[in-house]
Amino acid sequence: GQNIDQPTEMTATEGAIVQINCTYQTSGFNGLFWYQQHAGEAPTFLSYNVLDGLEEKGRFSSFLSRSKGYSYLLLKELQMKDSASYLCAVEDSGYALNFGKGTSLLVTP
Amino acid sequence: IAGITQAPTSQILAAGRRMTLRCTQDMRHNAMYWYRQDLGLGLRLIHYSNTAGTTGKGEVPDGYSVSRANTDDFPLTLASAVPSQTSVYFCASTRLAGESNEQFFGPGTRLTVL
């Protein structure tokens, strides 16, 4: 079975740094994805990790530890437009994505 | 067409009616997926197709069917709609065995079954 956990909600201040954690227990692992989804819109790709370590892409970074079943998404220099849901998803051996329930991030002035 | 499109954008449907949600991509992706998204439950996989001519069941396939006659199109059919199928439906596609298997999502179809 698949079990992917992430916090339901987080709040952070504009300009700050926020870390969104994701833990997973899945049957099969081909990689871990982070998606951003603004209200009423489709999810959009943020990052992909298949090996342990940190992947950096501008203000966003994603970390993976396969042995611990753990990932985090780090958002730096927060902007108001970063208010959105952040979805953690594990790709299983059949190439299907198994999504967590998402973390709703609110960025305040 | 650029990317992945879905139709209709939204639909209100009487229970018991048949409905087909359309999905088309022009990226020549081999794999396509249908998800439903419900408040508090996140995105759940309904059906998928790794290549034209093949389909598979996801986490919540009951009440839904799909077909993949060609690379570009992946329609989702509700044979006899029920209120519990009220949801937002997203179609996605990816080029399997690419660098990251990143899935691209369509804009979604908001379906209400009364």
Side-chain angles (χ1 to χ4, degrees):
Chain A
Q2 320 292 354
N3 189 24
I4 301 169
D5 289 319
Q6 48 182 133
T8 303
E9 295 178 334
M10 299 183 71
T11 301
T13 305
E14 191 176 16
I17 299 173
V18 70
Q19 178 175 312
I20 303 174
N21 295 323
C22 172
T23 58
Y24 63 89
Q25 293 174 306
T26 59
S27 53
F29 180 87
N30 268 355
L32 189 141
F33 292 79
W34 284 95
Y35 281 81
Q36 181 190 60
Q37 186 177 25
H38 285 99
E41 298 182 7
T44 56
F45 171 78
L46 285 179
S47 69
Y48 171 70
N49 294 72
V50 64
L51 300 176
D52 289 355
L54 188 68
E55 293 283 341
E56 297 186 80
K57 188 185 294 185
R59 293 189 299 113
F60 293 5
S61 303
S62 58
F63 171 84
L64 175 67
S65 169
R66 288 172 298 173
S67 62
K68 295 182 179 178
Y70 169 70
S71 173
Y72 67 73
L73 179 69
L74 193 71
L75 292 75
K76 304 175 186 175
E77 301 169 14
L78 279 173
Q79 302 175 8
M80 298 299 289
K81 67 178 182 180
D82 296 330
S83 290
S85 286
Y86 291 86
L87 314 179
C88 173
V90 173
E91 184 181 38
D92 64 24
S93 53
Y95 304 111
L97 283 185
N98 301 278
F99 283 86
K101 295 179 181 178
T103 298
S104 179
L105 174 67
L106 176 65
V107 180
T108 60
Chain B
I1 297 177
I4 183 166
T5 60
Q6 294 182 233
T9 302
S10 65
Q11 182 76 44
I12 299 174
L13 189 66
R17 297 298 295 270
R18 180 184 180 90
M19 176 74 192
T20 295
L21 309 185
R22 300 184 297 279
C23 176
T24 300
Q25 52 99 4
D26 66 354
M27 298 175 282
R28 307 305 292 173
H29 285 170
N30 46 352
M32 296 186 75
Y33 309 85
W34 274 105
Y35 296 90
R36 60 178 288 174
Q37 188 172 37
D38 303 287
L39 198 62
L41 295 177
L43 280 160
R44 294 180 293 168
L45 182 66
I46 304 171
H47 284 287
Y48 66 93
S49 169
N50 284 343
T51 189
T54 69
T55 63
K57 294 181 180 180
E59 180 185 354
V60 289
D62 294 343
Y64 306 96
S65 64
V66 291
S67 62
R68 187 87 184 279
N70 57 61
T71 298
D72 299 344
D73 302 299
F74 191 44
L76 176 74
T77 297
L78 290 67
S80 179
V82 295
S84 61
Q85 292 178 310
T86 293
S87 187
V88 179
Y89 291 85
F90 287 102
C91 179
S93 70
T94 188
R95 187 187 312 281
L96 280 183
E99 190 173 311
S100 74
N101 293 346
E102 169 195 347
Q103 289 189 15
F104 294 82
F105 284 80
T109 294
R110 183 174 296 275
L111 181 67
T112 302
V113 183
L114 301 175

